[in-house]
Amino acid sequence: MYLNQFLFLAAFLFCVGVYGVLARKNAVLVLMSIELILNAVNINLVAFGAFHDTVAGQVFALFVIAVAAAEVGVGLAIVLLMYRNRHSIDLAEADLLKG
Amino acid sequence: MLAQNIIFYVIAAAMGIAAIRVVTTKNVVHAALYLVVVLAGVAAQYVLLAAEFTAVVQVLVYIGAIIVLFLFGIMLTRARIGKENDLDNDQRFVGALVSVALLGFLGAILWDGFEDTKLPPGRPQTSAEVGLSIFRDYVIPFEVISILLLAALIGAVVIARRD
């Protein structure tokens, strides 16, 4: 197996995630796209860990998973608060800071 | 080696299709379920890379916990169950352009950097090694992550609480 197989797969997932972040209106769907991006990073970490025969890749992938869990928790709390205050989770309507 | 390659491409194809469906489907609940397919595929790729512990954690944390959080989020924000035509904004074409350009760019760089470097024949990285590495080499980052997770969860409770 080639290293590049995994790296290309991760690059593809990353780009799909970037498209999702840019093109989606619904805040929950944007968070899901961010999960795609984080998973792409994790594949890279584990693949390079296997390539260099070290467990550091796996350890950092585990750290990223923990940070992703924290991010989703806070992110969904913010989305819920946004829904409670504005009755909409359309990101295009969250423009109070627009001059 | 050949069997591993076939399995890789089958799983990668399923992941690719599911990932595209996550960002294009018109049903929010289906997006979460397609995300399950992608995350399970990532766990399978970890198994192919002989990273067993990370694969198990991926299934437990992502599919077990994060997807449930997403489904709760979908439920609490009262998304319509069923088709919804208003999920994409009008930057869709610019977004597609940017991500295709990024993919080409990353692909060119990866090909330039690693061409056909082979992975060394897989030596399974056991859970024992991972545990030793976490608690010996990376114990401070581990503690920092623990505090971060605690702070984030308390923060989430404080933000979402009705007062």
Side-chain angles (χ1 to χ4, degrees), chain A residues 1-36 38-81 83-84 87-93, chain B residues 1 4-5 8-9 12 15-16 19-26 28 31-32 35 38-39 42 45-46 48-54 57-58 61-62 66 69-70 73-74 76-79 86-89 91-92 94-96 98-99 102-103 106-107 110-111 114-120 123 125-126 129-130 133-134 138 141-142 145 148-149 152-153 156 159-162:
Chain A
M1 294 211 285
Y2 299 107
L3 175 63
N4 251 343
Q5 285 177 332
F6 293 95
L7 301 187
F8 276 126
L9 175 66
F12 179 76
L13 278 185
F14 182 86
C15 294
V16 172
V18 167
Y19 169 76
V21 170
L22 290 177
R24 289 300 212 178
K25 249 181 183 177
N26 184 312
V28 178
L29 288 173
V30 171
L31 281 177
M32 286 186 199
S33 307
I34 293 175
E35 290 309 307
L36 286 180
L38 288 170
N39 272 283
V41 173
N42 274 349
I43 292 181
N44 270 353
L45 285 171
V46 175
F48 277 114
F51 179 59
H52 291 293
D53 194 20
T54 159
V55 289
Q58 273 200 70
V59 172
F60 278 93
L62 292 170
F63 287 165
V64 171
I65 289 176
V67 172
E71 172 252 324
V72 170
V74 176
L76 281 175
I78 293 172
V79 170
L80 284 186
L81 195 67
Y83 179 76
R84 204 181 300 146
H87 296 282
S88 153
I89 51 169
D90 185 340
L91 290 175
E93 288 174 20
Chain B
M1 226 22 156
Q4 274 183 352
N5 271 330
F8 172 87
Y9 285 116
M15 282 167 70
I20 289 176
R21 294 295 290 158
V22 170
V23 294
T24 55
T25 182
K26 293 199 180 307
V28 189
L35 189 61
V38 179
L39 299 176
V42 174
Q45 303 292 4
Y46 293 159
L48 276 181
L49 285 165
E52 50 185 34
F53 185 71
T54 314
V57 171
Q58 170 87 8
V61 175
Y62 265 111
I66 292 184
L69 261 182
F70 273 127
I74 291 169
L76 291 172
T77 53
R78 293 183 184 72
D86 196 29
L87 289 174
D88 289 345
N89 59 26
Q91 305 163 13
R92 204 174 345 165
V94 185
V98 167
S99 69
L102 193 61
L103 184 60
L106 283 176
L110 287 176
W111 185 252
F114 297 104
E115 280 182 46
D116 46 3
T117 316
K118 277 194 189 312
L119 279 174
R123 182 187 64 85
Q125 301 176 332
T126 60
E129 279 176 83
V130 176
S133 180
I134 287 179
Y138 298 104
F142 177 77
I145 292 274
L148 174 76
L149 198 56
L153 292 183
I159 291 173
R161 183 182 61 168
R162 284 170 209 278

